[in-house]
Amino acid sequence: MRNYTVEDLLEAREKRVQQIEQLIKGYGNPLLAMRVNYPGLKKTNKLTMTIIREMGELLSSMFEQKLAFKTLQQGAEGPIFMVVVQEDVFALKRLAVEFEENHVLGRCLDLDVYDHSGRSVSRQELGYPKRKCYLCEDYAQHCVRARRHPEHEVIHYIEEKFRNYRGVKS
């Protein structure tokens, strides 16, 4: 796997935003983007690719007849699964939050929903609380910004959740 820089990460984010805007404009429907909440610059690896592929298949089956477009890409931001879904944007966001909260790998994932103008719909707009850190239960945003937890602890958590998902004992 390629070694990426911070500049690569920033450039990839800009390209993703542009692509999301183009897809929404082209299809006229909301878009769901899924990534693994993986720390550091080595976001594209065997674990993140496996998680995104499998969760992408699961989400595709959930939306079956409502899929207008889907893609799986990899790069500096790690693997990203995107689907344009013929669904009400708030219904789509509710499904995304329920997935994040209830699936064994849900807390390891970031499912962002974008409306018809390309704006990200927040959990708070639907009355859900902000996401909690999976290591300490503070708000995830606080921990990420403060770099509160070492990368290896976050990676270990994701690996453990994946083993639990697969039914493998550590």
Side-chain angles (χ1 to χ4, degrees):
M1 299 285 169
R2 182 176 159 207
N3 288 328
Y4 292 101
T5 65
V6 173
E7 292 78 25
D8 293 331
L9 184 62
L10 295 172
E11 185 178 318
R13 284 183 183 159
E14 285 180 32
K15 286 181 180 178
R16 177 173 49 92
V17 168
Q18 291 171 351
Q19 183 182 20
I20 288 169
E21 289 172 355
Q22 290 172 344
L23 287 169
I24 291 170
K25 185 177 179 183
Y27 287 95
N29 286 295
L31 181 141
L32 181 143
M34 177 176 59
R35 295 174 295 146
V36 177
N37 285 320
Y38 200 87
L41 293 174
K42 295 180 180 177
K43 295 177 185 298
T44 298
N45 57 60
K46 185 177 178 181
L47 176 63
T48 59
M49 286 299 299
T50 302
I51 290 172
I52 288 296
R53 279 191 188 110
E54 292 186 19
M55 294 302 98
E57 288 175 18
L58 181 58
L59 287 174
S60 292
S61 68
M62 287 172 57
F63 299 125
E64 258 184 284
Q65 303 301 317
K66 296 181 178 187
L67 284 182
F69 175 85
K70 74 177 178 176
T71 184
L72 173 60
Q73 302 167 355
Q74 61 184 14
E77 287 190 286
I80 301 174
F81 176 77
M82 289 191 283
V83 286
V84 176
V85 184
Q86 298 168 343
E87 179 67 85
D88 172 74
V89 69
F90 295 114
L92 184 59
K93 182 63 179 182
R94 274 190 287 281
L95 288 168
V97 172
E98 293 300 319
F99 193 87
E100 288 175 337
E101 297 294 327
N102 297 314
H103 191 280
V104 67
L105 292 175
R107 294 190 74 191
C108 302
L109 300 169
D110 189 14
L111 279 76
D112 293 322
V113 174
Y114 299 88
D115 68 12
H116 294 82
S117 66
R119 180 186 66 85
S120 179
V121 178
S122 75
R123 300 165 132 251
Q124 292 74 41
E125 288 178 67
L126 297 174
Y128 292 100
K130 292 180 181 180
R131 284 192 77 157
K132 298 277 182 119
C133 172
Y134 37 70
L135 297 178
C136 73
E137 294 298 317
D138 189 5
Y139 290 122
Q141 233 176 1
H142 295 167
C143 291
V144 170
R145 286 192 179 133
R147 297 177 186 237
R148 190 168 290 150
H149 307 290
E151 281 185 21
H152 73 273
E153 286 182 16
V154 177
I155 292 168
H156 179 74
Y157 176 88
I158 295 168
E159 290 169 343
E160 279 297 307
K161 284 295 181 182
F162 186 70
R163 280 192 283 276
N164 290 343
Y165 168 70
R166 286 281 178 88
V168 177
K169 301 289 182 208
S170 54

